[in-house]
Amino acid sequence: MEGGENILRVSSARLSGSNVWRNSAMDVFSREDYADEEALRWAALEKLPTYRRIRRGLLLEEEEGQSREVDITKLDLIEWRNLLDRLVKIADEDNEKLLMKLKQRIDRVGLDLPTIEVRFEHLNIDAEARVGSRALPTIFNFTVNILEDFLNYLHILPSRKKPLPILHGVSGIIKPGRMTLLLGPPSSRKTTLLLALAGKLDKDLKVSGRVTYNGHGMDEFVPQRTSAYISQNDLHIGEMTVRETLAFSARCQGVGTKYEILAELSRREKEANIKPDPDIDIFMKSAWNEGQEANVITDYTLKILGLEICADTLVGDEMIRGISGGQRKRLTTGEMMVGPARALFMDEISTGLDSSTTYQIVNSIRQSIHILQGTAVISLLQPAPETYDLFDDIILLSDGKIVYQGPRENVLEFFEYMGFKCPQRKGVADFLQEVTSRKDQEQYWSRRDEPYRFITACEFSDVFQSFDVGRKLGDELAVPFDKSKSHPAALTTKRYGISKKELLKACTAREYLLMKRNSFVYIFKMVQLTLMASIAMTLFLRTEMHRDTTIDGAIYLGALFYAVITIMFNGFSELALSIMKLPSFYKQRDFLFFPAWAYALPTWILKIPITLVETAIWVCMTYYVIGFEADVGRFFKQLFLLICLSQMASGLFRFLAALGRNIIVANTFGSCALLIVLVMGGFILSRDDVKQWLIWGYWISPMMYAQNAIAVNEFLGKSWAHVPPNSTGTDTLGVSFLKSRGIFPEARWYWIGAGALFGYVLLFNFLFTVALAYLNPFSKPQAILSEEIVAERNASKRGEVIELSPIGKSSSERGNDVPVSASSRSLSTRVGNITEGDLNKRKGMILPFEPLSITFDDIRYAVDMPQEMKTQGFIEDRLELLKGVSGAFRPGVLTALMGVSGAGKTTLMDVLAGRKTGGYVEGTISISGYPKQQETFARISGYCEQTDIHSPHVTVYESLLYSAWLRLPREVDTETRKAVY
């Protein structure tokens, strides 16, 4: 038996061995066949013309394990995601490998990528500011300022504005392939420097000095397209998703010169008989090909910035629930990174982000800059040590002077040379921002044998010129950049990234998307119009309408006037809808995403079908029920006239929105325009009642033409063609009534009115486009110089010294030369007058206060699943944002709520504060053991949100005073309210 078993084992082993060899041989042959098939496919691709060859590639099918020839412009979202998952599975680990593969492919054929070296020499930037209370936005100041500016322009009156220096003679070099960190305390003018380097300075500033890219001045190329400035302000359209926002940005910016580089790369590979990696080939062709509505770069940016989790979530705004503040900040960064710009200037991109996410983003940018030889200057306020170590160069700015610029490794050496040493357990970035501050500098003084004195930023800057790093920088600046070494594709001379046709298509697609997202507005307008038509039908019912006297004619004219004003007011919603999109428009217009006409045309054209439907609803419901002339021709003529009127009204309110640029100003203009148009429309005041010196208002009123045309269309019909019984003339009832109301009785006035309305449609939409193109958003409040600062500067010029109270010190004495408002100065004066005894009396709590504890158990918060996520395959009805959170806050204990961006910190605080007005909240919240009642809890709690929403027309002191007054009980009298706490 044992022998038989051994024989069976041996035979089975032989059989299994033969199967292994057979399977291995089959695998070898199959792999060879697959390689042969792939080689044949690639050979077929190589025979195509260059234009077609760079639009086609071999895409690997994961399920079948084989590749197929595809057109990269027709890849769907799933195929892009599968490709990205193979190339960048984990962003932190695989991004550098992907960039290295791209660089190796380019280097293999001897191609050079374009690089940009930015130089700025002796850059001075100054502003003019008014002093003290003269800068406050009052009606008196506004009127006097206009008069003063006019007299200054005529050189009759000298300017009373005082100069406000911003940057003082700064010079430096931003080199390609190196990461530059811009550091400085708040109000050190970091944003101004970045704007100057990006070519986006305000035209009202006085600028001297020079900024060059590869030795070329700003007037020799288009800086907005060559570089990308990433602002601190997150301005986006709330109705669009994160993916749609990035896709639109990528589509408008285009690929720049990458298409020419890709074509040259493909040509050289063909000549050298080099076959690239299929996935890398597909990735580059998708990312660098022009004329695509969407490409893989959008999904790549989403993955790199960690926005995949919210890619299909609405961005949101004050009225729409959307992404978190940190995600919004990353979206702002990604909006410019998807473009082809080779120089990046990033202003405070870490605001609202946790240190881990900031490190990930900066590390991804660093990999791109180092491998692809880009240029980057990034401003960060308090970077973590590990983020600080990612940078190669440091620019330290303070009080408008560059204190240090050079390699990161030498910055501590410079300050030790100046007598300041960074403690071992102190972050270098924090040390650099504090060492120039008056209140923090002394603690870092290391020369104990010498007395300490405050060293200003100007002294630091002067000593840096003689430091070895500063001398080396000066020597480099002394040698002009050799323009012959500049890559031909480095600087962009085209104003826009894609053709005019593609820009118009992109803006049209976005406008259509926004119309679908705002469909509720248009549906509500139609329902509103239906209700108004129902009222008109019952008010002017044909059974009660006669055609016997001129009084009957007046009733019919009233019905026509009601139709005209209803259609006119129906366009008022365009004012608010247009203003909502203006902040994002101004940002994208200034970044040269698209021209104003490409934005204005779709806004007008796409609304025409809605106008047709709305007007048709009105006319179809009211025409025969009211009893207007029973003639189908006159029916369609009234319909056409009201369509022209509706288009004119929409164009008028869009123009007023672009002219006002602010909802308050635009509403004021809109109401005034409506008043003038109504009064001069020919119904409230007939032509005969208008004074001669105001007759011009009658002739320019669009409603006059509408009223004349619609009245002529009705009263020249057959029903009004009879002569009244008691009439002594030969005029028909309709003609006599028109004459009595000052309306032109000729039939040609219908076409005159229709033509005039059509002309106004073209005029208002043209003016809307012009206003969008040439008007800028209202600027922030002007810089204000306090009287103390001006007096201190004048005294310093004379060699005098001014003693200020410790509390009332000017901002320059605190180490930051920041403009101070008059209200802040008055507050400092009030506080400075309080005696030390008063301060001792007021120690402790002024108002009654009872310590309270907050406990919350199993808090869950969910919202309805967004439709965009359902289309991606999510089957749940609700999206849960908080999942059983419990905790407690005790009095006297300071609790830090921490978590990565998007973790739900703001959502939890909103729920606890009772600020959530939508969604589904579950769980229990107790205040000192009692169930929370929102009505009473709101009186004893204070919630500081991320969003800074303030009235722009009050000072800081007035805003704080008003907020404090609202917190006081009603029993507190007026005199007590005015006390200074």
Side-chain angles (χ1 to χ4, degrees), residues 781-797:
Q782 281 188 325
I784 302 176
L785 282 173
S786 69
E787 295 174 357
E788 289 180 349
I789 290 179
V790 175
E792 184 182 0
R793 286 179 178 174
N794 294 336
S796 63
K797 291 180 181 179

Side-chain angles (χ1 to χ4, degrees), residues 249-263:
S249 175
R251 185 178 180 183
C252 287
Q253 294 184 74
V255 297
T257 58
K258 292 179 180 178
Y259 179 79
E260 288 77 11
I261 296 174
L262 179 63

Side-chain angles (χ1 to χ4, degrees), residues 75 124 167 248 290 431 553 882:
L75 293 178
N124 292 279
L167 289 180
F248 177 78
E290 60 184 7
F431 164 76
L882 295 178

Side-chain angles (χ1 to χ4, degrees), residues 46-74:
E46 290 292 292
K47 295 179 181 179
L48 296 174
T50 302
Y51 175 79
R52 293 188 60 192
R53 188 169 66 252
I54 60 179
R55 289 176 175 269
R56 305 188 72 84
L58 298 181
L59 181 66
L60 178 64
E61 296 285 351
E62 295 184 349
E63 297 179 357
E64 301 176 1
Q66 295 183 357
S67 61
R68 62 182 176 90
E69 183 180 335
V70 295
D71 186 343
I72 58 100
T73 61
K74 298 180 180 179

Side-chain angles (χ1 to χ4, degrees), residues 193 225 247 259 312 401 446 535 586 621 711 767 828 892 927 981:
L193 177 60
R225 298 268 302 119
Y259 179 79
D312 298 302
K401 301 282 288 185
S446 61
I535 295 173
Y586 285 127
M621 289 184 66
L767 293 177
S828 300
I927 310 299
Y981 292 99

Side-chain angles (χ1 to χ4, degrees), residues 197-200 213 217-219 221-228 492 592:
L197 298 180
K200 289 184 61 61
Y213 285 43
M218 289 286 192
D219 55 345
F221 61 98
V222 182
Q224 295 92 334
R225 298 268 302 119
T226 305
S227 63
T492 304
L592 298 184

Side-chain angles (χ1 to χ4, degrees), residues 191-251:
T191 298
T192 304
L193 177 60
L194 290 174
L195 288 171
L197 298 180
K200 289 184 61 61
L201 279 176
D202 194 318
K203 295 180 181 179
D204 294 333
L205 298 175
K206 295 182 178 180
V207 182
S208 62
R210 193 170 182 229
V211 178
T212 61
Y213 285 43
N214 289 354
H216 295 269
M218 289 286 192
D219 55 345
E220 300 179 42
F221 61 98
V222 182
Q224 295 92 334
R225 298 268 302 119
T226 305
S227 63
Y229 171 72
I230 299 172
S231 172
Q232 297 184 42
N233 303 318
D234 305 322
L235 301 176
H236 304 287
I237 297 178
E239 292 89 348
M240 296 178 68
T241 66
V242 174
R243 188 189 305 278
E244 291 164 352
T245 302
L246 291 182
F248 177 78
S249 175
R251 185 178 180 183

